[in-house]
Amino acid sequence: MFKEQLDKLSISAKEAVIDGTYNGLDDFKNYLHIERNVEKALEEIVHRSVNSSKPKLILISGNVGDGKSHMLAKLFQKYPTEMLQISVRNDATESNFVSKTWLDELTDFFSPFSDDNLNNSSAKTTNIVAINLGVLSKFLAEKGGSFNELNQFVLNKGILDEYSYDNNYVEESTFQFINLADFKLFSLSSDSIKSDLIRGILKKITATKEENPIYNSFISYYKDHPYKDNCVVRHNYLLLSNDEVQENITSLIVSALVKDKLILSIRDLLNFIYDIIVPFSQQNLSSEELLLNTGFSSSIFIIRNSIGYKLFEAAGRSPLFTSISSLDPLRIRNEQIDKLIFKIQTSNSPKPIFDEENVSYPPTLFSVANDEIKDQLTKYFVRTRFIEKGVTSSIFKDFIRYLFAYYSGDQITLKHLYKDVILSIQKWNGTGRKHGEVNIPIGKHQITYNVMQKIKFEPNIISKTSKQSIVDEFDYTLAVGMKVDDKYFSITLDFNLYSLIQKIKSGYSPNKKDKEDHLDFQNFVNLIIDKSTGTKDELIFEKIKGNSVERFELSLDAYGDYIFKKA
C-alpha cells in the first residue's frame, strides 16, 4: 500500500536501521541507494587496505544517520570475498557481553593494533570500526597508554581538533581515517551548487517506472480511490515529481544548510521528504484509515498541508524545517508580489490568478468565501509560486562562488571579497570622513566628537591549494586574512556575516544587535585597531558642531614627543 511504502522513509521506521556487519540491504534500500563520493573514497581505502601486506585499522567517523552502516552493508553486498577478510565493528559503543563494557570490547577489537602487537607481530589483519570523535577521544584517554601509535596518528592528523585533513588512503600508515561529515550533500562549482544526492533521492522516490516500489503502490492505491482528487498526500507526491520543484526544493535545502551551518544526515533527509509529503496528523494512519479521514473535505486542511505551505510553517519540527522557515518567501516583498496578493485578497474566485502565474491551485477549492481562507490561500500562493518557480538570492550565489574560490585556490576571484571585507572594517564603527580613516569607539555613543586613525589594509589572501573544478570536501565557512603594519589577522566568514558585509557595503550601519550577533567580527576589528601602529603614532580628532567640523591631529615627532595640531 502507498502509505506503508512512504512510511519506510520515516526516521521511526524499522527500515531506517541497518546493521553494517553483513549485507542487510533489502530491495527497497537497494532501490533508493545512490552512490556518493564518500562511498568511492571508502571503497578505495578498503580495497588498498585488504591488498596491503601491512595490518590496517580503518576508522570511519561521522554523524548519526549519515549512512555509515548503509555503506558498510553495501560493501558486503558488492565485495563479499574481500569483506570476509575484514573484521567489522558497526558501532564502537556496542556491547555484546554482559561481563564486558563497550570500552573493554573496543579494546579487544583494537588489540591487533596496540603498540606491543604492532611491534612484535607480523600477522596481517584488517579491521573497520564506525566510531564518532567523542568515543575515539574517550578511548584514547582511557586506553591510550597501550596505543601510542594510534594516539600519535590521531594527533598528527588533527582528527579530534577537526583540523583540515584529507580522507585519502596512506600506504605507509597502519591507520586509515575517513570522516563522512567532510562530504556534504552537495558539491561546489565555479558558478553553482550541484547535488546529485538530494536530487537523486527525490527522483528515485517519484520516478515513474516499474522498479520504483513507491510509485507502483501509488498507482495501485489511487486507481479506485474515491477521494483521490481531494487527497493532499497524492497532491504533494505529484507536485514533488516535477523536475523544477525538485530543483527548487534542493536549492532551498542547500541554502538552509549553508545559512545555519546545519548537519543533515541521509536519514534526516529521507524523514524530511516524508514530512513534506504526508501531513503530520496522518503519519500514524494506515492506507485504509486514510480513506476514512475527514481531511479530504477540508480546503483549509489541504492548503495547510500542501508542500509549499507546510515547508515554511513547521519551525521546531526539525533543525532543517526551522532554518527553512526563516527563508519564507513571504518575507521578500516587491511590487509584483504585492499586486498579486491584492488581487487574491479582493477576489472571491482567485483561480484565474493562479492560472495566469502557472501556480498549482488547491484541489477542490472553487470559491473563497471568508477571510480565513483568503489569508491561507494568499500564503499558499506566494509559497507555492516560490517552490514551483524558484528564486535564488544573488547574495547567496556570490557567497557560494567565493566559497568555491576559497576551496579551489582561486585567489583572483577572492579579490572582490577582500575589498568588501576591508570596506566593512572601515565602516564598522561609522564611516570615516576621509578615505583610509577608521573610527575608534571611545565609550558611550555621542555625536560631538569622533576619534579616528589611518590604517592601511593589505589583503593576506588565504585559500586552499588544490585546483579543482568540483569541490566535494569543504566547510560552510572560509578564512579571510588581513595584513596591517606587518601584523597578520584573520577572520572566519560564514554566510550570515557575509550578508551583513553586503548590507554595510550598500550603506547600512551595523547596530548593537549586529555587533552582538557577530562578536567574532567585532573582536577582529577591535584587534586590528588595538594592534595597528596608527593607534600609537597618529590619531585624528573631530569636533562636530552643527554643520561645521574641526579636525585635529595627535602624533609623535622624531623625538617621541606628542604634537597636537589643527589638521
Side-chain angles (χ1 to χ4, degrees), residues 297-416:
S297 62
S298 170
S299 297
I300 289 289
F301 180 85
I302 292 172
I303 290 172
R304 287 178 175 171
N305 286 280
S306 64
I307 288 180
Y309 191 97
K310 184 165 60 170
L311 265 173
F312 304 100
E313 288 280 346
R317 179 79 179 184
S318 70
L320 180 58
F321 269 117
T322 300
S323 183
I324 285 177
S325 69
S326 69
L327 301 173
D328 193 342
L330 285 169
R331 300 185 180 195
I332 307 169
R333 302 300 285 269
N334 55 50
E335 186 178 354
Q336 181 189 14
I337 289 294
D338 287 343
K339 285 181 178 178
L340 291 169
I341 288 174
F342 177 76
K343 283 184 178 180
I344 293 171
Q345 289 283 328
T346 55
S347 173
N348 289 329
S349 300
K351 189 175 184 302
I353 302 168
F354 281 73
D355 293 340
E356 287 173 14
E357 290 293 313
N358 292 317
V359 175
S360 301
Y361 193 71
T364 73
L365 182 65
F366 301 109
S367 65
V368 182
N370 59 63
D371 290 340
E372 182 188 8
I373 291 184
K374 282 186 179 180
D375 289 342
Q376 301 295 320
L377 188 63
T378 300
K379 290 181 179 180
Y380 171 92
F381 171 80
V382 174
R383 291 164 171 172
T384 304
R385 182 177 184 271
F386 178 80
I387 291 302
E388 294 183 349
K389 292 177 177 275
V391 179
T392 303
S393 158
S394 59
I395 291 177
F396 182 77
K397 285 182 179 178
D398 288 341
F399 180 74
I400 291 296
R401 184 163 55 90
Y402 290 134
L403 201 62
F404 171 78
Y406 174 77
Y407 282 97
S408 64
D410 178 7
Q411 295 193 351
I412 293 176
T413 297
L414 291 172
K415 172 183 176 181
H416 304 287

Side-chain angles (χ1 to χ4, degrees), residues 196-212:
D196 292 338
L197 181 61
I198 300 175
R199 281 298 306 274
I201 288 176
L202 290 171
K203 282 186 175 297
K204 287 255 185 179
I205 289 170
T206 59
T208 56
K209 51 187 180 182
E210 286 185 8
E211 54 263 44
N212 180 3

Side-chain angles (χ1 to χ4, degrees), residues 421-422 424-426 438 440 453-458 480-485 487-491 520-536:
V421 172
I422 290 172
S424 297
I425 296 170
Q426 292 170 333
V438 177
I440 302 173
Q453 67 179 93
K454 292 180 180 178
I455 299 179
K456 183 180 179 181
F457 295 92
E458 294 180 59
V480 173
M482 208 62 63
K483 180 184 176 185
V484 178
D485 297 327
K487 296 183 179 67
Y488 294 89
F489 308 87
S490 66
I491 180 71
D520 51 348
F521 194 75
Q522 171 79 26
N523 293 335
F524 173 66
V525 174
N526 288 343
L527 187 63
I528 290 175
I529 292 172
D530 291 343
K531 298 295 183 182
S532 66
T533 56
T535 305
K536 301 172 185 174

Side-chain angles (χ1 to χ4, degrees), residues 131-276:
I131 185 169
N132 69 47
L133 300 186
V135 171
L136 180 60
S137 177
K138 184 173 177 60
F139 174 82
L140 292 174
E142 296 278 342
K143 304 289 185 178
S146 301
F147 295 87
N148 287 304
E149 289 195 35
L150 172 60
N151 197 22
Q152 198 59 48
F153 168 80
V154 170
L155 289 173
N156 291 343
K157 205 168 178 69
I159 290 171
L160 297 181
D161 297 310
E162 298 186 68
Y163 293 160
S164 176
Y165 45 76
D166 62 56
N167 291 279
N168 297 321
Y169 175 83
V170 181
E171 173 59 33
E172 297 76 24
S173 176
T174 298
F175 308 102
Q176 309 296 324
F177 178 79
I178 186 168
N179 188 0
L180 273 62
D182 289 345
F183 295 80
K184 302 296 185 286
L185 299 186
F186 61 97
S187 303
L188 304 175
S189 68
S190 60
D191 58 354
S192 66
I193 55 171
K194 189 169 183 273
S195 183
D196 292 338
L197 181 61
I198 300 175
R199 281 298 306 274
I201 288 176
L202 290 171
K203 282 186 175 297
K204 287 255 185 179
I205 289 170
T206 59
T208 56
K209 51 187 180 182
E210 286 185 8
E211 54 263 44
N212 180 3
I214 300 176
Y215 178 72
N216 287 337
S217 62
F218 169 82
I219 293 297
S220 174
Y221 181 66
Y222 287 107
K223 182 179 179 181
D224 298 314
H225 195 296
Y227 311 110
K228 67 180 181 181
D229 292 336
N230 299 27
C231 181
V232 70
V233 177
R234 176 177 178 271
H235 177 69
N236 286 340
Y237 185 77
L238 290 174
L239 183 63
L240 196 60
S241 302
N242 181 283
D243 280 344
E244 196 167 351
V245 170
Q246 290 180 7
E247 180 65 34
N248 294 332
I249 288 179
T250 299
S251 296
L252 190 64
I253 292 171
V254 171
S255 296
L257 297 180
V258 173
K259 179 179 72 73
D260 289 326
K261 300 190 284 290
L262 296 180
I263 295 170
L264 184 69
S265 69
I266 299 296
R267 193 183 300 172
D268 289 334
L269 175 61
L270 292 173
N271 191 72
F272 171 79
I273 295 169
Y274 176 74
D275 276 346
I276 62 175

